[in-house]
Amino acid sequence: MLKPACIIASSLFLLACPALAQKTTLNTSWESGKISSSEILEEEDISSDITYYKTRFGINQELNRQLNWSLNNTLYRKDYDGQHSLCNDYNQALFGINYLPDKGYCLIPQELRLRYKNKEKRYEHLPEERYSQNNLELEAIYDKKDWRLALSGGMNDFDYQRSNEDDETQSYFNMDAKKILFDERLTLYGLARIKNIQRSSVSDKNQDIW
């Protein structure tokens, strides 16, 4: 499983050294409301109201004109009226680093993005359904005058409480391309997705998705 300890330690170090940052931005928000389950669970035969609570905290530091980092944490809870077994909440932490390399070489991207996400989801009355997700992704972006290319790849790790046989690891690669032709009269788009899924269960050990 991908471990968040090194990333958390790095973010705490940067936070403890404000002299390294040219600009620091803090933001927080809280939201609460009621929605219908049919709005988010169209495939389910469930008709009940959902009361939700969402709290978010974030920090962004610009170290210099080329490098910045951010850390965001979200707490989200959903209470299903009359369906207590579905009540759940999750805690999600997202850490990101953006780097703008020096220009001058055609093979060097205009932007590099490193993202790490840790998500813990819990069901109030179904502790065996609890799971954790860890995602690490690197993205390179080439943004020129008449074309754009984004290449990204990473790993997704799911660890389920109920059984180790349900644990799953995904590795993936994405490519998105755009080309502008004839003085912006025509734009061509292209994309590719490759995903490899490995499960702990013997029945479905490996699966490739194109």
Side-chain angles (χ1 to χ4, degrees):
M1 178 186 297
L2 302 172
K3 298 296 183 180
C6 60
I7 296 179
I8 295 176
S10 300
S11 62
L12 291 176
F13 170 77
L14 292 172
L15 183 60
C17 301
L20 296 176
Q22 294 183 352
K23 181 180 179 181
T24 300
T25 304
L26 297 175
N27 59 81
T28 184
S29 63
W30 183 84
E31 180 183 350
S32 178
K34 189 179 288 287
I35 57 177
S36 173
S37 59
S38 60
E39 297 179 20
I40 58 176
L41 295 174
E42 297 179 355
E43 73 281 1
E44 298 287 345
D45 295 329
I46 301 173
S47 180
S48 63
D49 290 330
I50 301 173
T51 303
Y52 70 91
Y53 311 90
K54 189 174 184 179
T55 304
R56 181 180 177 273
F57 172 80
I59 179 174
N60 179 278
Q61 281 194 344
E62 182 180 328
L63 303 183
N64 52 54
R65 66 179 182 86
Q66 292 179 287
L67 183 63
N68 68 80
W69 71 276
S70 63
L71 178 64
N72 294 281
N73 190 79
T74 302
L75 296 173
Y76 187 53
R77 176 171 176 80
K78 292 186 293 185
D79 289 330
Y80 289 76
D81 298 345
Q83 299 283 341
H84 298 296
S85 63
L86 297 177
C87 295
N88 66 85
D89 63 85
Y90 72 77
N91 183 3
Q92 177 175 287
L94 180 63
F95 179 82
I97 299 176
N98 286 4
Y99 177 64
L100 305 176
D102 289 323
K103 299 180 180 179
Y105 300 95
C106 62
L107 297 180
I108 296 180
Q110 277 63 57
E111 184 175 359
L112 288 172
R113 299 175 180 175
L114 179 65
R115 297 286 184 271
Y116 173 78
K117 180 177 74 172
N118 173 259
K119 180 179 179 180
E120 299 281 342
K121 187 163 186 177
R122 298 172 295 272
Y123 290 85
E124 184 173 335
H125 298 281
L126 296 171
E128 68 276 5
E129 294 297 325
R130 176 176 178 173
Y131 72 88
S132 62
Q133 176 191 4
N134 291 277
N135 173 241
L136 183 64
E137 179 181 286
L138 178 64
E139 182 178 23
I141 299 175
Y142 298 83
D143 199 352
K144 303 296 184 179
K145 180 180 179 180
D146 57 355
W147 62 274
R148 187 180 190 275
L149 178 64
L151 304 173
S152 62
M155 293 186 64
N156 244 330
D157 185 271
F158 294 88
D159 184 14
Y160 291 90
Q161 184 75 23
R162 60 177 178 263
S163 172
N164 291 333
E165 293 185 354
D166 296 318
D167 293 350
E168 181 176 293
T169 300
Q170 303 175 359
S171 56
Y172 60 89
F173 173 79
N174 301 325
M175 181 181 69
D176 292 88
K178 180 178 76 172
K179 175 65 176 177
I180 300 175
L181 302 171
F182 307 120
D183 296 327
E184 301 185 357
R185 294 186 179 90
L186 177 65
T187 302
L188 302 178
Y189 296 91
L191 59 89
R193 301 284 188 269
I194 301 175
K195 180 185 290 186
N196 175 267
I197 301 176
Q198 292 184 330
R199 296 188 176 93
S200 299
S201 59
V202 178
S203 60
D204 191 1
K205 186 64 177 178
N206 194 312
Q207 181 181 3
D208 291 316
I209 300 178
W210 292 75

